[in-house]
């Protein structure tokens, strides 16, 4: 076990996969120099510029090249720097790579990993702060993982590279600097599709992913009125239904914390599934805590308000437990 | 009151243009301190070294023409007329910022002088500029659109798609490449197989010009001919301004990848010195005048910073405003 920062866990996972599998290579803008988050630092020195390939600013070309190379048996790890940049290249993943296995009746597969920094809280403004999980949901053929710690970054990234289908890994930029213990090697690998129970509890199940796992933990620790079972989904597509159902069947209450906007958020699917499967066993309505349906503001106080904070989570859960009703969101005002 | 429009008018004289370039330099150089003091978040992309391009462009365009620009937009905003309070206020997330504090350094705007909110996605401003030009054409007016972007942006699909379409539609749009030799940490020769990026116009049968980006008068001439050409209904131009950024790509970049001595070589052709020396040679400005001008500008920028720091952040309700037509 080693203590490292999340960005170092990225480097470690990439390095370990590159060492164990010669078909793994990296492509992206300025990855040779480590990129703006230093998440590929030192890899070009170690593996050379044939396996750590700096590209022109041509996302469509190099993401698509990742699809093609993957179809020929390579395992490309393509970096998008900020997840928004995939907007100029999306077709190559969502409409081409994702359907390749299906259209070729299994003759081709696309073991492609797409890494990108995502998420708000750092003052990067509305075009560099989104989490954008919604761009990949509802698109058959793609997996989506969002790590919440150095360990899950390490473990999920290695699984993503080993996956025989395209995997998008959203690396929260607020987590890159966080430190934690990391078990490296095979023992540190985390399967895609598996949630992790962060804390055991009996009053409420909190389902979270990425940055909201930290919000949930902070909320839980800041009060002593209720206990919570925090489930870190780790993978959003496909999400771990059995882990969620098992916990909610025990607690009878579900709260989902999402970083993204309310409308079309992933929590809606979790709530729907829970209501459908556990109808009659719920003590309170399932409740979603999300960001509002608005672009992400730059000014510090506004961006802070925009994201679900731990204080807000506590007040929402307090109200849910007290009233038995789903509390209004802050932006709904005095409605 | 000083408005963006009145400030735009100040570019009518050579002295006014020199003053504006000095102001841009002073604003850019003040940002690091503001950051160190905890007033700036996220990233900032400075344009010191590239002042002449923005000032040249703003001197030619009418305030009713529209500009789309990148995240490296402080200079363009100031040149087009935005006040130092407007730019620095936005960088510091204050309500007096030109976007009300919700945009930040990468999203400056001022509709009164034709500055659309600046674009933080590489290449994104080009198609929009084509659309602005298309609207002018459909409305039968003689406005033009102008889009500013970097050398690295010529490798993205939007550049090629837009040039082709603008050419075939004969749109009144001017494409301005600020070739500062680097896209982020990568030198242009490592990402692009040609060094004169204006040559890309040839594939689209488009008018092109290469211009000295450190000489504001050369910029003015190049932009003026492109604008005249566009207003006359002849279509787009691609202009490549050869320039250099003195700072790293963004705040976190110390620019260790530069060729040794390169920065010093470029500083010998500083756009501010070039403009000042011309005035001095003509006898229209003395060294003493120049020093006075610089210290006045330093005072004005210091004053602007005071105003910015005394200004509040935007109200929380701002967050949910202007999200859609409903409010
Ligand atoms: C689609 C997209 N890809 C990548 C980026 C990240 N990025 C921001 S600026 C930049 C370099 C752009 O270089 P250039 O066009 O030369 O402009 P300069 O910054 O030198 O003004 C890159 C790669 C982005 N913002 N958008
Ligand atoms: Mg450049």
């Amino acid at each position: 076990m080693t203590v490292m920062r999340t960005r170092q866990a990225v480097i470690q996972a990439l390095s370990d996969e590159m060492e164990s599998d010669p078909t793994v290579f990296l492509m992206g803008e300025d990855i040779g120099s480590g990129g703006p988050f230093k998440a590929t630092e030192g890899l070009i020195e170690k593996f050379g510029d044939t396996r750590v390939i700096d590209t022109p600013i041509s996302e469509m070309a190099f993401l698509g090249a990742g699809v093609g190379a993957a179809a020929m048996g390579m395992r490309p790890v393509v970096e998008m720097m900020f997840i928004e940049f995939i907007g100029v290249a999306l077709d190559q993943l969502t409409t081409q790579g994702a359907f390749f296995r299906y259209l070729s009746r299994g003759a081709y597969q696309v073991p492609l990993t797409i890494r990108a920094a995502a998420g708000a809280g750092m003052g990067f403004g509305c075009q560099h702060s989104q989490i954008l999980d919604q761009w990949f949901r509802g698109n058959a053929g793609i997996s989506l993982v969002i790590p919440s710690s150095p360990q899950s970054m390490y473990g999920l990234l290695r699984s993503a590279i080993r996956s025989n289908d395209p995997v998008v890994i959203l690396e929260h930029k607020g987590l890159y600097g966080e430190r934690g213990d990391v078990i490296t090697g095979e023992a540190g690998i985390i399967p895609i599709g598996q949630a992790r129970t962060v804390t055991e509890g009996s009053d409420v199940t909190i389902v979270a992913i990425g940055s909201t796992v930290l919000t949930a933990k902070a909320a839980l620790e800041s009060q002593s009125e209720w206990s919570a079972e925090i489930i870190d989904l780790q993978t959003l597509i496909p999400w771990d239904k059995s882990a969620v159902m098992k916990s909610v069947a025990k607690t009878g209450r579900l709260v989902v914390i999402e970083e993204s906007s309310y409308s079309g958020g992933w929590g809606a699917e979790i709530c729907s599934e829970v209501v459908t499967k556990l109808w009659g066993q719920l003590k309170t309505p399932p409740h979603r805590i999300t960001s509002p349906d608005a672009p992400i503001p730059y000014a510090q106080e506004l961006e802070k308000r925009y994201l679900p904070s731990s204080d807000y989570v506590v007040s929402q859960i307090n109200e849910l437990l007290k009233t038995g009703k789903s509390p209004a969101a802050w932006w709904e005002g005095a409605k | 009151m000083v408005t963006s429009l009145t400030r735009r008018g100040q570019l009518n004289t050579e002295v006014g243009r020199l003053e504006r370039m000095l102001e841009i330099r002073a604003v850019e150089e003040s940002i690091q301190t503001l950051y160190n003091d905890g007033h700036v978040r996220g990233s900032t992309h400075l344009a010191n070294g590239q002042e002449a391009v923005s000032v040249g462009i703003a001197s030619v365009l009418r305030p009713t023409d529209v500009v789309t620009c990148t995240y490296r937009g402080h200079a363009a905003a100031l040149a087009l007329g935005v006040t130092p309070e407007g730019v620095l206020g936005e960088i510091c997330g204050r309500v007096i910022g030109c976007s009300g504090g919700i945009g930040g350094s990468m999203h400056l705007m001022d509709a009164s002088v034709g500055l659309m909110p600046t674009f933080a996605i590489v290449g994104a401003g080009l198609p929009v500029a084509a659309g602005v030009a298309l609207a002018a054409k459909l409305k039968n007016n003689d406005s033009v659109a102008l889009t500013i972007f970097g050398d690295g942006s010529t490798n993205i699909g939007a550049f090629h798609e837009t040039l082709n379409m603008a050419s075939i539609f004969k749109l009144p749009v001017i494409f301005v490449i600020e070739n500062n030799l680097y896209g982020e940490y990568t030198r242009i020769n490592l990402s692009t197989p040609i060094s004169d990026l204006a040559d890309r116009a040839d594939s689209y049968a488009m008018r092109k010009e290469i211009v000295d980006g450190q000489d504001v008068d050369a910029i003015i001439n190049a932009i003026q001919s492109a604008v005249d050409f566009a207003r006359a209904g002849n279509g787009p131009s691609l202009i490549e301004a050869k320039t250099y950024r003195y700072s790293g790509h963004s705040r976190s970049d110390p620019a260790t990848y530069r060729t040794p001595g390169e920065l010093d070589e470029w500083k010998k052709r500083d756009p501010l010195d070039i403009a000042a020396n011309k005035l001095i040679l003509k006898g229209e400005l003395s060294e003493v005048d120049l020093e006075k001008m610089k210290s006045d500008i330093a005072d004005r920028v210091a004053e602007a910073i005071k105003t910015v720091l005394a200004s509040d952040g935007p109200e929380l309700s701002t967050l949910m405003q202007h999200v859609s037509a409903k409010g």
Side-chain angles (χ1 to χ4, degrees), chain A residues 127, chain B residues 4 8 57 61-78 80-82 87 90 98-99 102-121 124-136 139 143-148 173:
Chain A
Q127 296 185 354
Chain B
S4 303
R8 182 70 161 271
I57 288 168
L61 292 185
R62 303 171 183 159
T64 44
D65 295 326
V66 169
V67 173
T68 69
C69 180
T70 65
Y71 49 84
R72 195 177 303 288
H74 307 164
L78 290 162
L80 289 169
V82 181
V87 170
E90 194 54 42
C98 57
S99 311
I102 59 101
S105 161
M106 295 199 279
H107 303 295
L108 308 175
M109 72 106 200
D110 189 337
S112 75
V113 284
L115 178 63
M116 282 193 161
T118 53
F119 296 75
I121 301 296
L126 282 82
V128 174
V132 169
L134 179 62
K139 290 179 177 179
S143 290
V144 301
L146 184 145
T147 180
I148 309 171
V173 53

Side-chain angles (χ1 to χ4, degrees), chain A residues 29 59 85, chain B residues 71-72 120 122 150-153 180 182-184 249:
Chain A
E29 291 158 17
E59 282 83 0
F85 307 164
Chain B
Y71 49 84
R72 195 177 303 288
V122 164
D151 43 283
S153 312
N180 60 14
Y182 293 88
E184 279 193 352
H249 167 70

